[in-house]
Amino acid sequence: VQLVESGGGLVQPGGSLRLSCAASGFTFRRYAMSWYRQAPGKERELVATITSTGGNTNYADSVKGRFTISRDNAKNTVYLQMNSLKPEDTAVYYCQVLGAWGQGTQVTVSS
């Protein structure tokens, strides 16, 4: 299993970013996918999950209404659209499946 995240960066409060996670080494369309994040000095937390078909999604309370998880099974890619970003969203964001993790992508929300 290989997971490669991209799309992070520095954004002002209220801004948006779209993260991508390109997956390989397994049958992507058969598995639910998740995004996690880890802020400095804090434990890694689950942000969002999407089922294998994309028919169901779940979100942490802290991001509901602001973040949207989606997937493209033809491209073996899962996305995280992040809107109305807040400084407390600053973290390294990881995608996860089958116990495997990507290297993460840094998101910094600051003016």
Side-chain angles (χ1 to χ4, degrees):
V1 175
Q2 186 172 17
L3 302 169
V4 180
E5 300 96 337
S6 61
L10 173 64
V11 63
Q12 292 187 343
S16 298
L17 283 174
R18 187 195 196 202
L19 307 184
S20 299
C21 172
S24 61
F26 66 104
T27 307
F28 180 81
R29 67 181 182 276
R30 292 183 179 175
Y31 294 93
M33 297 291 296
S34 298
W35 282 97
Y36 284 74
R37 68 185 180 186
Q38 188 166 20
K42 296 188 177 181
E43 293 194 356
R44 197 169 293 189
E45 64 170 342
L46 178 63
V47 175
T49 298
I50 187 167
T51 55
S52 59
T53 62
N56 285 291
T57 56
N58 283 289
Y59 298 91
D61 288 343
S62 58
V63 307
K64 278 181 182 176
R66 300 187 299 121
F67 289 12
T68 302
I69 188 171
S70 62
R71 65 190 296 159
D72 185 338
N73 284 350
K75 295 183 178 179
N76 286 5
T77 301
V78 61
Y79 305 97
L80 187 67
Q81 177 66 44
M82 306 186 296
N83 299 329
S84 302
L85 282 161
K86 304 175 180 180
E88 51 263 44
D89 295 318
T90 295
V92 179
Y93 285 72
Y94 302 88
C95 60
Q96 188 271 340
V97 67
L98 295 171
W101 300 85
Q103 83 289 347
T105 186
Q106 175 71 49
V107 172
T108 303
V109 185
S110 175
S111 54

